[in-house]
Amino acid sequence: MSKKSLFRYRNFSIFSLLFLSACIENAPMDSLSPAGPYARTIDDLFWLTFWIAVGVFFIVQGALVFAVFYFRDMPGKPEPKQIHGNNILELTWTIIPVLILAAIAVPTVRTVFDLAREPENALKVEVIGHQWWFEYKYPDYGITTANVLVIPEDTPVRLEMWSNDVLHNYWVPKLNGKRYLVPGQKTYLNLHADSAEEFWAQCGEYCGLSHSKMRGRVISLSKKDFENWVNNEKLDAQKELPEGSLAAEGQQVYLNAGCTQCHVINGVWDVQGDRIAPNLTHFANRNVLAGASLDNNKENLTKWLANPPEVKPGTFMPNLELSEKEIEALIAYLGTLK
Ligand code: CUA
């Protein structure tokens, strides 16, 4: 293969890969596979607009190709009739786009209002943006959690959102569009999942060094499972642990190494007022950690506790210079927080 054709071949491969990546299946952030009524409303509008655009594309390109061939210059061919200043033609190609835009505007405006309306009998959840993680509060149940938003299936959820520091943006592509989290101002977003499933969320606004690691999960549960989850989340953590156990040692690390400066564990260290880090009362029930950038397992926890800023650059969680033994004990303790 010559150098030139190799180059061309490589470019073609890169282009094809990029193109095919759009066809990937089971992509957790795929906004074209809606999993609830709000996302479906947006999807319907997208496809309507898309097919109108496809129609416009073929008509315009068809007319262009026709003009290029039909009116091409040939020896002895006279210049075609000029149409500059033809009022009827100019009016026609002004009015047709106006009608197309109007046809798109009506369902667009309707969708915008449909999405903004507060649903009846919705579960209320407060979403607070922090650098770089999402905090969730359920005011009706007195629950505070982080990284994983748990909701009941087939139930409207009303998110009341704000930011604790800079602009963030809440986005669960399979459930709805994006909405800003603004410091000192409340914004609202509705979610509604058809069935029990796990969804991915992502901060959609650049908010500093670890913006890309500001992710989240939304887990919708059957109504019975959600009720059980709520009842469990309301419980405090156990303060008394078997004496001499590794978990009891870990609790001492939590209480004495500096963790309590920022992390609350209800029933163990539950000072009032907001803290700048996730509430850890039911940490072991969450499947992700560190802004949902890592799966919650022993290996990742070890990495995270040994040096948080290395895992999530810029994080406010400092490197506490914990020893291997302290980290092991801490992980054993965190494992009891169910
Ligand atoms: Cu928060 Cu990007």
Side-chain angles (χ1 to χ4, degrees):
M1 207 182 277
S2 75
K3 223 176 184 177
K4 202 168 162 191
S5 63
L6 185 72
F7 184 69
R8 230 182 264 153
Y9 177 74
R10 197 191 59 191
N11 279 358
F12 177 73
S13 313
I14 292 172
F15 180 76
S16 315
L17 266 178
L18 271 177
F19 184 74
L20 287 172
S21 66
C23 307
I24 219 159
E25 281 197 52
N26 296 325
M29 302 289 289
D30 184 0
S31 56
L32 293 179
S33 48
Y38 292 112
R40 227 161 7 244
T41 309
I42 297 173
D43 197 57
D44 291 345
L45 179 64
F46 168 76
W47 286 110
L48 173 76
T49 314
F50 177 78
W51 287 117
I52 291 176
V54 167
V56 168
F57 176 83
F58 281 106
I59 291 168
V60 171
Q61 296 302 315
L64 182 68
V65 170
F66 172 79
V68 165
F69 280 93
Y70 189 78
F71 296 111
R72 70 189 183 278
D73 193 20
M74 277 195 294
K77 199 176 175 187
E79 189 182 319
K81 194 178 152 221
Q82 299 300 300
I83 52 165
H84 182 79
N86 185 319
N87 286 343
I88 292 178
L89 270 178
E90 299 221 349
L91 274 174
T92 310
W93 65 51
T94 306
I95 289 171
I96 290 177
V98 167
L99 292 177
I100 294 174
L101 289 179
I104 294 175
V106 172
T108 302
V109 171
R110 196 188 313 144
T111 302
V112 168
F113 280 95
D114 281 351
L115 292 176
R117 199 173 303 122
E118 181 172 359
E120 281 173 36
N121 303 318
L123 169 74
K124 283 198 175 58
V125 183
E126 296 167 350
V127 181
I128 303 128
H130 297 263
Q131 282 175 317
W132 292 274
W133 56 285
F134 290 109
E135 181 172 31
Y136 302 106
K137 290 186 178 179
Y138 298 65
D140 295 338
Y141 302 124
I143 293 171
T144 301
T145 182
N147 295 329
V148 182
L149 169 64
V150 178
I151 60 173
E153 65 169 346
D154 201 21
T155 305
V157 181
R158 179 76 162 171
L159 304 181
E160 183 178 284
M161 318 196 289
W162 65 91
S163 168
N164 195 47
D165 35 52
V166 300
L167 264 189
H168 299 281
N169 188 305
Y170 197 69
W171 188 33
V172 192
K174 289 190 173 192
L175 296 181
N176 204 337
K178 296 173 177 175
R179 190 64 40 87
Y180 276 113
L181 277 68
V182 185
Q185 186 187 321
K186 285 183 178 167
T187 55
Y188 298 87
L189 183 72
N190 301 326
L191 298 182
H192 187 145
D194 289 332
S195 52
E197 207 184 317
E198 181 172 341
F199 306 99
W200 287 35
Q202 167 74 49
C203 176
E205 175 69 26
Y206 181 71
C207 54
L209 210 49
S210 278
H211 151 72
S212 70
K213 300 194 170 191
M214 185 165 173
R215 301 175 201 171
R217 297 289 164 88
V218 176
I219 296 181
S220 64
L221 300 174
S222 70
K223 287 180 183 150
K224 186 87 204 104
D225 286 348
F226 180 74
E227 207 183 301
N228 291 337
W229 178 83
V230 166
N231 289 332
N232 184 64
E233 286 286 315
K234 284 178 179 170
L235 300 175
D236 283 353
Q238 207 182 330
K239 187 152 193 188
E240 307 304 327
L241 296 167
E243 223 171 294
S245 67
L246 194 59
E249 238 176 83
Q251 193 186 51
Q252 288 310 307
V253 177
Y254 162 72
L255 287 169
N256 301 315
C259 315
T260 51
Q261 290 289 321
C262 307
H263 290 285
V264 163
I265 295 179
N266 302 347
V268 179
W269 184 269
D270 48 359
V271 283
Q272 293 303 306
D274 282 332
R275 304 305 249 178
I276 60 157
N279 182 307
L280 299 176
T281 312
H282 298 282
F283 173 81
N285 287 341
R286 307 204 281 254
N287 60 348
V288 283
L289 59 96
S293 64
L294 295 174
D295 286 335
N296 187 354
N297 59 42
K298 198 175 170 194
E299 195 193 336
N300 286 335
L301 252 183
T302 309
K303 229 189 321 179
W304 173 242
L305 293 171
N307 193 354
E310 191 178 72
V311 176
K312 216 163 83 171
T315 178
F316 293 116
M317 178 149 157
N319 184 348
L320 293 171
E321 312 279 343
L322 300 169
S323 70
E324 258 175 55
K325 211 168 151 281
E326 284 172 318
I327 289 175
E328 208 182 322
L330 208 42
I331 291 174
Y333 175 55
L334 288 168
T336 68
L337 300 174
K338 290 195 170 163

